[in-house]
Amino acid sequence: MPDTIRTRVAIIGAGPAGLLLSHLLAASGIESVVIDARTRESIESTIRAGILEQGTVELLESSGASSRVRIDGNRHEGIELRFAGEGHRIDFAAQIGRAVWLYPQHEVLKDLIAARLAEGQDLRFGARAERIEDADTDRPRVVCVDADGAPFEIEADFVVGADGSRGVARAAVTGSRAGGYSREYPFAWFGILCEAPPSSQELIYSNSPDGFALISQRSDIVQRMYFQCDREDDTAAYTEEQLWEELQRRVPGTTLKEGPIFQRDILRFRSFVAHRLLDNRVALIGDAAHTVPPTGAKGMNLAVADVVILERALRALLQENDSRLIEAFPDAALKRIWKAQHFSWWMTNMLHLTPETSEFDRMRQLGELRTVVESDAGRTYLAEAYTGWPLAGL
Ligand code: PHB
């Protein structure tokens, strides 16, 4: 017989969603076990996007999950949209009095892991969930294999799938891995990290005749930049010189500060929302429930918004035996999920060229960008969406 661990909430996945959920549950006195197939080292070093909405920052701070964001992160009060050879600033502070923080996801993960371990959280790395059983009962189980290959099971009152787009939970809840609404994009992002000072004070999202580029940052000495590439491109196919040429061509008007490129990656992305987010006592959150293209910087923030709604529903269910909020969880979460899907899709389509983009499409795109930047309502919409809509109940 495999070892069986009993807990109240079994959380599959130690990403932002799973870790934050365990943190908030613990603060409410609800015990959980978190497992992740990856090592701690791999989780803490995998490079992801870096924009935190204001609400995300406030929640990380108020819950004691991370106190470093305001110290080590960088507050950004706007972004620049660049098109037709001109830059247009979207001033978040002036439009709506809010901001975002540039603080990379792996830093959030380091903070969360440290905070959980300091509180004695049962958090198991290298432990893989193989399947979820008895999901239709009040005693769902996660069947797992630990880092040494030994089988074990977690028996819980509730199972949360926070195991990303390739995890086992999505299929368990929706009936199939592809069980959702989805959209593919005929391009990808080529990302680089380089040792150089910032080329611009704020992030530049550029629509250029050669395709999209994003000039982002990491610190005073490390920068993150992306340009639109082919889905089948290979990171080794470019020399360093060619990479700078590609990037530079797409941000006319700015001279990029170059430096040694020490990391390259290709991001293929899609829009996806699972057909179901709840199956009796199993719920999906974060990338297991939905994925967005990175253009809107919504990925981690959307995971945090799911957690806020689910945590409250779990408290009602597990502490008051009240199932109304958990039954309402999918509809409550989906409202924001689809707003973020729209925003991410809209930013992506407005800024990228596709192989099918006609001359008409290209001119229309510039008209769309002008509609946004020359309208107070347009700028306000972008500022609201980018800095994040209010989190439920906060
Ligand atoms: C990043 O810095 O990695 C980043 C920033 C903004 C985005 C996407 C990625 O929209």
Side-chain angles (χ1 to χ4, degrees):
M1 280 292 285
D3 274 356
T4 299
I5 310 164
R6 271 286 311 156
T7 190
R8 300 221 73 191
V9 183
I11 301 174
I12 312 172
L19 289 167
L20 181 62
L21 179 65
S22 77
H23 187 78
L24 298 181
L25 286 172
S28 304
I30 299 173
E31 179 209 50
S32 66
V33 174
V34 182
I35 60 164
D36 198 293
R38 298 167 294 173
T39 62
R40 178 177 181 181
E41 214 275 317
S42 146
I43 292 172
E44 292 187 341
S45 62
T46 303
I47 293 172
R48 297 273 172 83
I51 294 287
L52 304 186
E53 294 174 359
Q54 181 158 329
T56 299
V57 172
E58 285 164 0
L59 177 63
L60 289 173
E61 278 189 330
S62 65
S63 67
S66 171
S67 53
R68 285 202 300 139
V69 185
R70 276 182 219 258
I71 301 161
D72 295 336
N74 266 310
R75 181 183 161 95
H76 283 246
E77 295 198 341
I79 56 166
E80 186 186 312
L81 290 182
R82 174 91 44 107
F83 59 93
E86 287 164 26
H88 301 263
R89 180 162 192 253
I90 306 292
D91 185 335
F92 302 151
Q95 297 298 143
I96 51 158
R98 291 172 76 77
V100 295
W101 270 258
L102 195 95
Y103 188 69
Q105 179 167 327
H106 65 270
E107 297 296 332
V108 176
L109 291 170
K110 280 188 208 166
D111 296 348
L112 277 165
I113 289 171
R116 293 317 307 132
L117 292 177
E119 286 189 23
Q121 171 73 42
D122 187 338
L123 168 53
R124 299 172 189 224
F125 299 105
R128 186 162 42 84
E130 299 217 296
R131 58 188 187 277
I132 299 168
E133 287 194 346
D134 301 333
D136 54 347
T137 72
D138 291 348
R139 279 285 135 79
R141 285 178 302 125
V142 186
V143 178
C144 319
V145 178
D146 75 13
D148 301 319
F152 70 102
E153 293 189 1
I154 310 171
E155 189 184 291
D157 296 329
F158 202 94
V159 173
V160 177
D163 51 347
S165 55
R166 285 185 251 270
V168 297
R170 186 188 277 184
V173 170
T174 65
S176 83
R177 269 281 286 295
Y181 308 89
S182 80
R183 188 181 202 293
E184 300 286 342
Y185 298 85
F187 42 76
W189 281 9
F190 197 115
I192 63 149
L193 278 170
C194 66
E195 258 172 65
S199 292
S200 148
Q201 279 201 328
E202 292 179 341
L203 272 60
I204 303 174
Y205 289 79
S206 182
N207 168 310
S208 86
D210 294 302
F212 171 73
L214 169 59
I215 308 304
S216 183
Q217 313 168 359
R218 281 295 175 269
S219 68
D220 291 343
I221 50 166
V222 172
Q223 310 310 319
R224 180 80 161 140
M225 303 180 192
Y226 304 91
F227 65 89
Q228 172 185 351
C229 69
D230 199 272
R231 282 181 70 88
E232 304 313 321
D233 261 0
D234 174 3
T235 51
Y238 295 77
T239 64
E240 232 170 89
E241 206 185 329
Q242 286 170 324
L243 289 173
W244 285 116
E245 220 173 81
E246 284 291 343
L247 283 161
Q248 184 62 73
R249 263 196 302 147
R250 293 158 191 240
V251 280
T254 294
T255 305
L256 294 176
K257 300 208 169 104
E258 301 182 9
I261 293 172
F262 62 89
Q263 173 141 344
R264 317 162 165 219
D265 47 4
I266 293 196
L267 279 76
R268 294 184 189 84
F269 45 83
R270 62 202 290 242
S271 298
F272 178 91
V273 180
H275 280 147
R276 302 178 70 190
L277 302 188
L278 179 73
D279 176 17
N280 192 42
R281 292 263 175 149
V282 185
L284 300 179
I285 55 173
D287 280 2
H290 44 71
T291 54
V292 286
T295 327
K298 283 280 154 275
M300 173 167 44
N301 297 295
L302 201 48
V304 167
D306 294 343
V307 168
V308 170
I309 300 172
L310 183 63
E311 193 268 335
R312 192 197 288 169
L314 288 176
R315 251 189 286 145
L317 180 73
L318 301 177
Q319 293 181 326
E320 286 146 43
N321 206 20
D322 178 350
S323 63
R324 283 173 300 179
L325 286 182
I326 200 71
E327 283 155 17
F329 162 71
D331 283 345
L334 282 165
K335 286 189 181 130
R336 187 191 190 93
I337 291 168
W338 279 110
K339 279 166 72 170
Q341 285 292 351
H342 170 69
F343 178 66
S344 307
W345 168 92
W346 175 67
M347 286 283 279
T348 303
N349 283 290
M350 186 164 65
L351 292 164
H352 291 72
L353 295 182
T354 73
E356 292 80 42
T357 303
S358 67
E359 280 289 288
F360 174 86
D361 296 332
R362 165 120 196 90
M363 301 313 284
R364 187 206 56 76
Q365 245 181 5
L366 299 179
E368 184 176 12
L369 282 156
R370 225 172 272 293
T371 304
V372 175
V373 302
E374 292 179 1
S375 147
D376 192 45
R379 293 192 301 269
T380 300
Y381 165 64
L382 202 154
E384 275 174 0
Y386 197 94
T387 59
W389 305 284
L391 284 168
L394 291 182

